Amino acid sequence: MTTHLLRPTGRTGRPLAAVTAAAAVWALAALGPGAAEAAAAPTDATGPRPGDTCAAADLGTRHPYIKSTEVSPAITHFKGWYVTEGTTGSHTVTTSTQTTITVSVGLDEKIEAGFSAETLAKAATTVGLSVKLESSSTSSETNEVTWNFGRPGYYGVYKGTKKVTGTYGSLNCNRAQQADGSWALKWTDGPGAGSFTTYTTTEEGAVRCEDQVPADSIMAKAQTLLDCGSAAAPAAHRPGTPATPAAGDDGAVPAASAPAGAVGTRGAAALNCGAEVYKIAVPGTPLSWGAPLLADDGVRLRPSTIFSAHLDHWRLCDVTETGGVIEATLWNWGNGGCATIAAPEAAAERTILRTAPCAQDDLQRFYLYRDVPGSSKIGIQNKYTGFMMGHDRYADGEFVRQYSGGRPDGTGTYALTVV
């Protein structure tokens, strides 16, 4: 949405606010004072909704949906400016920072293509505004506004925007039992809910206490900083000086932990691992997850041979199940380590999956989303990051990586098969 600044001209000299081609949207008359609450359900008809049908190729993906939104005017830069007779005309006013707005999704302020960018795009659709969809923040430095003052008076010179905040949920594809006892794949609420912040195009202008402005607008917000309730406010400032602003049931995956003795150590506690040993394979192919021999290497797609040295063999440990979703630690038989995402790279797209000494750490916990009974296909999600596991291409030696929204081409769907 492009902002066009209209300078005051003609005989009145009244300051006119920045407006857009979608003036009705800017006015947001239906919002009520202070905020606009959007419906909890997503309004993007092209995106999945809770309960929609999904496919096995979606097991390794996730999508956001918007639960709530709030839109409020925010002044990023402001200065009170008193214009007397004989000093009208163009002034360049150095404004002071009032607030800095940073785009974020959850704890992530580095917005990349994937789950975070999709969240902001859905938020924009929900509120009907053009918002920042990438890493960005309003200026935290002093800022200059040049304005043509056509009439004497006490002005609030400002830069501002609409701040858009809200909450989002995460949809994952998982099997669900129907009323008739059959099974189907459905988009269901998964882990990874949080809050987001973004903002609209920046507007700048000047406004007086006596100007009539739309309620809940950026101009109205700037008026509140003029202390318009005090009749003595304009008189307190000399001409041209700044004012002081205001203040597993199918056998493919166990449904519960079945301890088969201590395997590895986690401090003083032992991992309780199931007796089954699995391969995590690309469906219908000879390549599967192979753990590294070297600590600085990662989990790669490897063929299973007599020389694999059990590096392609995994056990599910400390297994729990909630709402049909398995949570487990993935212990490798070949190197004795647990699958993990390295902490320094935890928030990054395409971070390589590694193994490390087993520890009490959510970076070593994974959710498993399952296909309907009879199928061994699964999707795998890291508990701490919320990212889905996948690979860039099918090739011997290709790293297994994490992707915030998963892989859209089905390369995040694996087969968990008993050895």
Side-chain angles (χ1 to χ4, degrees):
M1 185 178 293
T2 303
T3 299
H4 305 282
L5 298 181
L6 303 181
R7 304 300 185 189
T9 57
R11 284 169 281 199
T12 64
R14 274 183 75 169
L16 300 178
V19 298
T20 69
V25 175
W26 272 107
L28 294 174
L31 296 182
E37 294 298 334
T43 59
D44 183 2
T46 63
R49 300 167 183 260
D52 284 355
T53 300
C54 53
D58 298 316
L59 288 168
T61 67
R62 67 167 179 157
H63 293 279
Y65 73 99
I66 303 302
K67 292 184 172 182
S68 66
T69 58
E70 180 176 313
V71 181
S72 58
I75 301 300
T76 60
H77 299 82
F78 181 86
K79 185 152 289 185
W81 200 254
Y82 193 51
V83 178
T84 60
E85 292 286 355
T87 65
T88 57
S90 180
H91 290 246
T92 297
V93 182
T94 301
T95 56
S96 301
T97 301
Q98 294 297 298
T99 188
T100 300
I101 302 172
T102 300
V103 176
S104 64
V105 176
L107 300 177
D108 188 11
E109 294 181 356
K110 185 179 181 182
I111 309 301
E112 300 177 304
F115 186 85
S116 294
E118 187 180 355
T119 300
L120 296 178
K122 288 181 179 292
T125 301
T126 301
V127 299
L129 292 171
S130 177
V131 302
K132 296 290 184 181
L133 303 179
E134 67 283 335
S135 302
S136 181
S137 65
T138 59
S139 174
S140 59
E141 308 296 331
T142 58
N143 217 291
E144 289 187 344
V145 175
T146 300
W147 203 256
N148 183 33
F149 298 91
R151 173 177 291 187
Y154 178 50
Y155 292 86
V157 182
Y158 67 89
K159 282 191 175 182
T161 186
K162 290 281 186 177
K163 183 179 182 181
V164 181
T165 59
T167 58
Y168 62 88
S170 177
L171 293 178
N172 289 86
C173 182
N174 196 44
R175 68 184 183 184
Q177 192 164 24
Q178 309 301 293
D180 63 0
S182 64
W183 293 83
L185 287 175
K186 300 285 187 181
W187 289 108
T188 58
D189 264 309
S195 60
F196 64 86
T197 299
T198 185
Y199 60 94
T200 62
T201 307
T202 300
E203 170 186 325
E204 66 179 31
V207 65
R208 301 177 302 169
C209 290
E210 59 266 37
D211 291 329
Q212 298 297 312
V213 299
D216 200 37
S217 65
I218 297 173
M219 287 183 291
K221 183 71 172 180
Q223 263 186 341
T224 64
L225 298 181
L226 277 174
D227 193 19
C228 292
S230 171
H237 305 284
R238 297 189 302 277
T241 60
T244 302
D249 50 19
D250 61 350
V253 184
S257 177
V263 179
T265 60
R266 272 194 329 200
L271 286 173
N272 292 319
C273 299
E276 296 87 354
V277 178
Y278 298 94
K279 289 183 182 179
I280 305 174
V282 178
T285 75
L287 299 185
S288 62
W289 287 18
L293 281 174
L294 303 177
D296 60 351
D297 199 1
V299 177
R300 299 174 183 264
L301 297 182
R302 295 292 193 190
S304 295
T305 70
I306 58 173
F307 304 107
S308 295
H310 299 303
L311 291 170
D312 57 345
H313 291 172
W314 302 83
R315 282 183 174 173
L316 306 187
C317 306
D318 291 350
V319 178
T320 61
E321 181 176 350
T322 304
V325 179
I326 293 290
E327 180 185 333
T329 297
L330 308 180
W331 177 83
N332 186 262
W333 187 357
N335 70 11
C338 288
T340 190
I341 297 295
E345 304 169 302
E349 290 278 352
R350 301 181 72 255
T351 291
I352 295 169
L353 182 67
R354 302 182 185 277
T355 57
C358 301
Q360 292 179 328
D361 191 339
D362 282 347
L363 286 167
Q364 295 185 2
R365 298 289 286 173
F366 293 85
Y367 297 113
L368 276 63
Y369 300 95
R370 296 172 287 176
D371 199 356
V372 297
S375 168
S376 61
K377 292 180 179 179
I378 61 168
I380 305 175
Q381 180 183 30
N382 184 264
K383 180 178 182 178
Y384 181 81
T385 67
F387 287 31
M388 308 299 295
M389 300 300 111
H391 53 273
D392 284 346
R393 63 190 178 95
Y394 177 76
D396 184 1
E398 183 69 17
F399 282 117
V400 176
R401 302 173 183 270
Q402 68 168 7
Y403 305 83
S404 62
R407 297 286 292 162
D409 57 1
T411 50
T413 296
Y414 296 99
L416 190 70
T417 57
V418 177
V419 176

